[in-house]
Amino acid sequence: MPRDVRVATTAVERRAPVVAAVPGTGRTGRLALGAAVTAIYVFLLAPVAIIVFSSFNPTEANTFPPTGLSLRWYAKFFESAGFVAAFRFSLWLALVAAVAATAIGFLTAYGLVRCWRRGPGVVQSLAMLPMMVPHLLISISLLLALMVVPVPELAALIVGHVLICLPFAIACIVASLEGIDAQLELAALTLGASRLRALWEVVIPLVAPGFLSALLFTFMVSFGDVYIALFLSGPGRTTLPIEIFAYMQWESTPVVAAITTVQILLIIGLGLVIERLVGLRNIMRV
Amino acid sequence: MAKTILELQGVVKRYGATLGVGPVDVDVREGEFLTLLGPSGCGKTTTLHVVAGLLFPDQGRVVLGARDITRLDPQNRDMGLVFQNYALFPHKTVFDNVAFGLRMRRTPRAEIAGRVRRVLDMVGLPGVEARLPGQLSGGQRQRVALARALVIEPTVLLLDEPLSNLDAVLRKRMRLDLRELQQHLGIATIFVTHDQDEAFEISDRVVLLNRGRVEQVGTPEELYDDPATRFAAEFIGETNLIEGVVAAAAGAIVTVDTSVGARYEAFAPGRSLRGGDPVYVMIRPERIDLVPERPAGGVAMPATVSKRVFAGDVITFELRTEHGLLLRCSKPSVAEYRALAPGAPVWAVVRDCRALPRDGDGEA
Amino acid sequence: MATERREVVEAGGRSGRLWLAPIALLYLIALIAPISFFLVMSVFRYSALELWVPTVTGENFARLLGDAYHRAIIVRTLKIALLTTIGCLALGYPLAWYLARTASAWRGLLMFLVIAPLMTGVIVRTYGWIVLLGSEGTINTILRGLGLVDRPLKILHTELAVLIALVHILLPYMVFPLFAALAGQDPDLERAAHTLGAGRARTFLEVTLPLSRPGILMGSALVFTLTAGAVVTPALMGGKDVRMLGQTIYELTMSTLNWPLASAVAFVLVLCQFAILLVYFRSGRRRAA
């Protein structure tokens, strides 16, 4: 889909979200803000950067800066059946959860944006319910439910992940849908399309960026989840974070750092793919 | 008289407790260009959307030919609708936009290409097929929207203020093109606008709406010469309205005593007015003659020119009569009228006037 | 435009509720029912043999609220949650403001950088802080290298450590609602304020800040929720010295197996949340009115 489609998404005038260069700020103000923002980014990324660097540490200590350069911990990671299996499982789970959450999220978002204009606030807030409940609670409750209802644990794990991912999917798709002129669907109807056809031909192509961002966010949320998996993991069903958590109870070597670096490479890879497809700018509209 | 293609019978649409529009009783004839005219909020777009099937009325029927289509889905109504904002699919090329309706009707691919090209030629846009709507100008987009609605050869063409988003010059040109195209195709068309000049220039008949109610239906001439209500008189062109009471009625001619003392013989066609009825005397500005001396016959009033506005081809005067009445008068911009300056005394002769019914409180 | 919106409501509204059925069903079966079930347990009796005995009793709450130890944990959790929220707000607002107002071409990347750490997971980022703050860690190494301290500072296993780590981990959750609120503001509003004579500070205080309130509330509600329910970070960063409600629930459920008490703790947690959410909704509604 061509990039300039984004520009012409609506016939209705959209207000520009961006003001040319931070306005109304003098030289010092701008410098101060720039410094503050840089400092905050350092705060945000430093621990991650440290992990990446310490993954190359030849010794077992958790020191930074690393005393040398070695790939032994990466080797250890790939050799470890447990970690590799957990990594693959996390990937698979995140994919499943992302797709499911995006699908249900789309249905919900469409219902909210097109059919619930009267009271969007309340109903939309209800859709965000899982965000307002500690994940811990969701997890324990599902575990409890498992004792009462005979459902495979894997299903409960997936459901748990879908639950915590849904609010993100909904937010992304609602943001995207709101930018689409409602009249486009009406036009398609008057031209002879059924409601479903109109959805397929008009809405879905235009919500594509929303879908992508929903998939991206939900994938990340699911992959990084600890609390749901804490109670619902099991033999053969361990996610990577849980595997790391267990490992860290006994040992604390830079293997963890190596695994994290691989994860980070994965995210960067995802980010690059999205940039190529739709452009990161267009995704980050939550 | 031409055949009726579409009929609205007693259509009423409410939004909660507020009246959207209704009751509307209108028929659209074969090949006719019918305009729904009125200020914003008057219900004209609502009416159009009821015809298109995007809204279902609370009361009344929509009849197409012999079929009652009141509750028929929009996709099955065989009408072409052009939206005010065009609603072109931004992710599809011009070709795909125009071809959309044909694809929905399962037209064979080879046929689609030919028809799309022909209709794009017809609206004056050859060669833009591969472009995206975002790459077109406003006027071009408008024509693509039109092409998209026309290519499916609908029974009725519906246009929702299609020219509103164009600049004035383009607008004037496009409305004539539109009318020409419509006449060439002979397709029954319902056109919505708030612009009275536009409506008059291109319509066969006009439906005047105000706050959800139909004020009047008629040809432009009928609406101009014989407005049915005060609103109609004031919305269409300029007018003078004088409050009065019917003194005597003889057929279509009534004698009116006005509050300013003068007495008029007014024409009131098709209205059964009786002595004592409150009315307005409506005088169009160009129906007042200005003469330097008292004329032999006719109703003449001595007056002074109080204001004068030169508008190129026309001069508008404000006259103050001896009764204190302010009258608007417009005259062609020729020497004798150009010479009249504020303060000059004249005699105003009313060539003809109408009588309109008036509510007790003078409601518009 | 109101007409169009109504129409889509008409056209889609007939089946409107259908769209929301899947999520409603999911929430009901997988979220509301199980959680309610779990919370109800707080009034049941604990038994070493079964998980719970269906006799109604108030002993769990009595224990929870009467015990000074548990009360301290509740207070500490609330305190840390509040401080974390404030910290996230302090750091997140400038970031969100910058992201919302900048025209830089790197905007997409910068925003991506804010959420990317989310994916690495709580554990790993906490691990990073352990490396940073441990006695052999980076900070201490730097401080000792510079000769500022003789012995390593004990930063880990303190409330401060937990606070820092939590702020770091939850910052993205604050940045996003704030960003959404700030980016959605009409830039003309600020310009109008300027032309009326308001300086930058004034404009910010009187126009931008109040309008970003929904974002602040949403972000705060989110961060507070996530902090109150945190287990991993307090466990790893605070150890035995800094215990919070989340860890208590975890231990009660997995080690002690006292589910009714765990449920009571969770109930208290949820109660605090509801209080926060109520504040959030009330303010939101007042603003809308």
Side-chain angles (χ1 to χ4, degrees):
Chain A
M1 184 170 63
R3 290 269 193 111
D4 42 21
V5 164
R6 214 54 186 90
V7 175
T9 296
T10 51
V12 178
E13 195 71 72
R14 290 193 71 192
R15 56 169 76 115
V18 166
V19 186
V22 187
T25 327
R27 239 340 188 30
T28 41
R30 215 178 298 166
L31 274 173
L33 184 68
V37 169
T38 314
I40 297 174
Y41 266 106
V42 167
F43 174 70
L44 254 184
L45 300 172
V48 181
I50 287 179
I51 296 175
V52 174
F53 282 120
S54 65
S55 72
F56 297 109
N57 213 342
T59 68
E60 284 196 3
N62 292 328
T63 56
F64 178 80
T67 50
L69 213 65
S70 157
L71 287 179
R72 68 187 270 214
W73 304 113
Y74 289 92
K76 188 126 189 271
F77 167 43
F78 289 115
E79 283 160 20
S80 157
F83 277 132
V84 171
F87 193 84
R88 281 174 45 195
F89 182 70
S90 275
L91 277 177
W92 176 86
L93 182 62
L95 213 64
V96 170
V99 169
T102 304
I104 302 180
F106 172 70
L107 297 176
T108 313
Y110 188 81
L112 283 174
V113 174
R114 291 285 180 255
C115 309
W116 227 278
R117 262 318 165 176
R118 299 160 220 136
V122 178
V123 184
Q124 184 153 350
S125 303
L126 282 179
M128 300 289 155
L129 204 53
M131 247 202 243
M132 300 297 168
V133 179
H135 292 182
L136 192 62
L137 197 53
I138 298 179
S139 194
I140 296 180
S141 306
L142 281 175
L143 186 60
L144 190 61
L146 278 182
M147 297 180 191
V148 180
V149 177
V151 171
E153 276 198 12
L154 181 59
L157 183 57
I158 297 177
V159 166
H161 273 214
V162 170
L163 280 176
I164 61 172
C165 292
L166 262 174
F168 291 92
I170 294 175
C172 288
I173 301 181
V174 163
S176 190
L177 265 179
E178 281 180 338
I180 299 176
D181 191 354
Q183 288 196 312
L184 293 177
E185 284 168 79
L186 297 180
L189 288 182
T190 61
L191 289 168
S194 64
R195 276 238 110 199
L196 259 91
R197 199 78 197 273
L199 260 180
W200 176 253
E201 296 265 349
V202 178
V203 177
I204 299 212
L206 291 172
V207 194
F211 278 137
L212 270 173
S213 65
L215 282 171
L216 183 68
F217 276 107
T218 51
F219 185 88
M220 290 196 194
V221 169
S222 166
F223 200 97
D225 158 74
V226 172
Y227 296 108
I228 304 287
L230 200 58
F231 287 92
L232 296 172
S233 287
R237 283 188 322 272
T238 324
T239 63
L240 190 59
I242 297 298
E243 189 77 19
I244 294 177
F245 191 42
Y247 181 79
M248 281 171 79
Q249 315 277 44
W250 306 110
E251 310 180 44
S252 156
T253 66
V255 147
V256 174
I259 302 176
T260 310
T261 313
V262 173
Q263 271 180 270
I264 292 174
L265 284 175
L266 179 61
I267 311 175
I268 295 181
L270 274 176
L272 283 176
V273 167
I274 304 244
E275 173 63 32
R276 275 259 60 216
L277 280 182
V278 193
L280 277 177
R281 291 192 80 106
N282 298 324
I283 292 286
M284 301 291 152
R285 287 177 163 278
V286 186
Chain B
M1 178 135 120
K3 187 171 75 152
T4 298
I5 297 242
L6 176 77
E7 246 188 285
L8 290 159
Q9 300 169 348
V11 167
V12 177
K13 178 69 191 165
R14 286 189 203 93
Y15 293 118
T18 353
L19 175 71
V21 73
V24 179
D25 289 273
V26 165
D27 64 316
V28 184
R29 299 167 196 157
E30 197 172 16
E32 177 177 38
F33 196 107
L34 181 80
T35 296
L36 302 178
L37 173 68
S40 54
C42 70
K44 51 196 194 292
T45 300
T46 307
T47 310
L48 197 74
H49 285 187
V50 167
V51 173
L54 297 172
L55 286 175
F56 288 170
D58 298 306
Q59 276 169 247
R61 305 198 311 154
V62 180
V63 180
L64 183 66
R67 277 168 83 202
D68 183 339
I69 60 167
T70 321
R71 304 236 158 247
L72 191 62
D73 283 328
Q75 45 263 43
N76 297 322
R77 289 201 185 196
D78 195 30
M79 293 185 193
L81 176 53
V82 178
F83 291 80
Q84 186 173 357
N85 291 316
Y86 318 135
L88 294 180
F89 307 129
H91 58 299
K92 292 183 186 280
T93 60
V94 166
F95 185 93
D96 288 329
N97 261 283
V98 177
F100 191 86
L102 294 175
R103 272 179 55 224
M104 295 301 123
R105 285 161 174 72
R106 310 238 176 91
T107 320
R109 193 96 72 82
E111 200 187 316
I112 292 185
R115 283 169 74 171
V116 168
R117 261 173 223 124
R118 271 201 302 278
V119 80
L120 281 174
D121 273 341
M122 199 162 46
V123 298
L125 282 181
V128 297
E129 284 132 25
R131 295 207 215 149
L132 291 173
Q135 299 165 311
L136 300 173
S137 71
Q140 289 173 315
R141 272 187 253 150
Q142 199 271 333
R143 281 185 271 173
V144 173
L146 189 59
R148 186 174 68 176
L150 285 175
V151 80
I152 56 176
E153 287 167 17
T155 324
V156 183
L157 180 65
L158 306 172
L159 304 162
D160 189 354
E161 302 208 49
L163 309 174
S164 297
N165 293 339
L166 302 173
D167 63 72
V169 173
L170 198 55
R171 201 170 164 163
K172 277 200 152 78
R173 199 167 36 148
M174 285 238 53
R175 69 168 80 133
L176 295 173
D177 287 345
L178 192 60
R179 173 57 161 162
E180 232 183 270
L181 190 58
Q182 185 264 344
Q183 279 178 309
H184 171 73
L185 292 171
I187 185 170
T189 302
I190 305 182
F191 181 83
V192 166
T193 184
H194 59 271
D195 184 338
Q196 178 245 310
D197 292 322
E198 189 164 87
F200 272 34
E201 229 180 275
I202 57 181
S203 318
D204 290 320
R205 279 193 306 153
V206 174
V207 177
L208 184 62
L209 292 151
N210 181 34
R211 293 208 222 149
R213 305 214 180 264
V214 176
E215 296 269 337
Q216 191 170 356
V217 180
T219 64
E221 287 87 357
E222 286 166 9
L223 254 68
Y224 188 79
D225 291 335
D226 292 302
T229 63
R230 174 179 174 166
F231 172 81
E234 286 182 323
F235 192 82
I236 314 259
E238 302 294 340
T239 190
N240 294 294
L241 290 174
I242 309 171
E243 290 182 9
V245 172
V246 175
I253 314 247
V254 296
T255 318
V256 181
D257 277 324
T258 63
S259 47
V260 287
R263 180 173 259 234
Y264 293 92
E265 301 258 315
F267 193 45
R271 277 170 230 133
S272 36
L273 291 171
R274 292 178 308 230
D277 284 345
V279 290
Y280 286 110
V281 174
M282 184 204 81
I283 313 171
R284 290 286 183 200
E286 71 279 5
R287 310 301 290 170
I288 302 179
D289 287 334
L290 298 176
V291 288
E293 280 140 18
R294 187 187 235 286
V299 182
M301 292 173 285
T304 334
V305 175
S306 61
K307 278 205 198 113
R308 175 185 181 275
V309 177
F310 175 71
D313 53 343
V314 150
I315 307 183
T316 312
F317 295 102
E318 189 187 76
L319 309 168
R320 182 182 293 273
T321 70
E322 58 182 359
H323 309 288
L325 184 66
L326 285 174
L327 286 177
R328 244 188 125 96
C329 170
S330 66
K331 286 290 146 203
S333 173
V334 292
E336 57 180 297
Y337 296 118
R338 284 199 188 197
L340 278 177
V346 283
W347 285 85
V349 184
V350 176
R351 255 192 279 158
D352 54 66
C353 56
R354 299 283 189 273
L356 306 176
R358 167 166 66 95
D359 295 342
D361 57 358
E363 247 285 326
Chain C
M1 279 307 140
T3 334
E4 281 75 39
R5 211 173 272 157
R6 283 198 192 102
E7 273 140 35
V8 195
V9 170
E10 282 269 338
R14 282 169 248 142
S15 60
R17 280 139 189 94
L18 217 67
W19 294 101
L20 299 177
I23 199 176
L25 216 63
L26 180 68
Y27 279 7
L28 209 61
I29 298 178
L31 193 64
I32 300 180
I35 292 183
S36 312
F37 189 32
F38 178 62
L39 289 178
V40 160
M41 228 194 277
S42 56
V43 293
F44 287 164
R45 172 159 292 149
Y46 165 62
S47 143
L49 300 169
E50 316 157 10
L51 268 188
W52 72 90
V53 175
T55 340
V56 176
T57 165
E59 68 188 16
N60 297 309
F61 285 107
R63 185 154 159 210
L64 194 58
L65 300 170
D67 195 326
Y69 172 70
H70 283 116
R71 276 208 308 268
I73 295 187
I74 296 177
V75 169
R76 179 183 296 130
T77 307
L78 288 177
K79 181 177 79 174
I80 293 186
L82 196 63
L83 288 175
T84 308
T85 308
I86 295 176
C88 282
L89 207 52
L91 293 183
Y93 204 99
L95 198 57
W97 198 89
Y98 176 76
L99 286 173
R101 296 278 182 262
T102 186
S104 160
W106 297 107
R107 202 156 145 241
L109 178 65
L110 287 174
M111 288 174 66
F112 186 69
L113 283 179
V114 175
I115 83 146
L118 272 180
M119 179 175 160
T120 58
V122 173
I123 295 172
V124 159
R125 281 179 287 161
T126 311
Y127 176 69
W129 281 107
I130 292 178
V131 172
L132 259 179
L133 301 177
S135 38
E136 301 288 325
T138 319
I139 302 270
N140 272 313
T141 317
I142 296 178
L143 288 177
R144 281 166 72 193
L146 289 176
L148 290 174
V149 290
D150 295 321
R151 278 171 313 146
L153 283 180
K154 182 187 187 225
I155 313 180
L156 270 188
H157 298 288
T158 60
E159 278 188 14
L160 180 63
V162 176
L163 195 59
I164 294 176
L166 281 174
V167 168
H168 170 252
I169 288 170
L170 298 176
L171 195 54
Y173 291 102
M174 175 66 83
V175 169
F176 272 92
L178 277 180
F179 170 79
L182 285 168
Q185 280 177 17
D186 189 346
D188 284 340
L189 290 173
E190 279 177 14
R191 290 191 202 120
H194 285 314
T195 60
L196 288 168
R200 291 155 225 136
R202 223 51 208 303
T203 313
F204 178 75
L205 283 171
E206 302 222 10
V207 178
T208 318
L209 190 59
L211 284 177
S212 61
R213 201 141 161 260
I216 297 179
L217 289 173
M218 169 115 228
S220 305
L222 254 179
V223 171
F224 196 93
T225 307
L226 292 166
T227 312
V231 176
V232 175
T233 310
L236 290 174
M237 299 296 287
K240 293 275 182 285
D241 302 332
V242 181
R243 305 192 85 254
M244 290 172 56
L245 282 178
Q247 293 151 274
T248 314
I249 298 178
Y250 180 69
E251 271 165 28
L252 283 172
T253 357
M254 294 313 245
S255 322
T256 332
L257 294 178
N258 185 346
W259 281 56
L261 188 58
S263 167
V265 177
F267 193 92
V268 169
L269 194 60
V270 171
L271 217 62
C272 296
Q273 288 243 206
F274 269 24
I276 304 290
L277 288 180
L278 216 65
V279 171
Y280 167 54
F281 270 117
R282 280 263 215 81
S283 322
R285 201 168 297 150
R286 233 187 314 138
R287 230 205 106 248

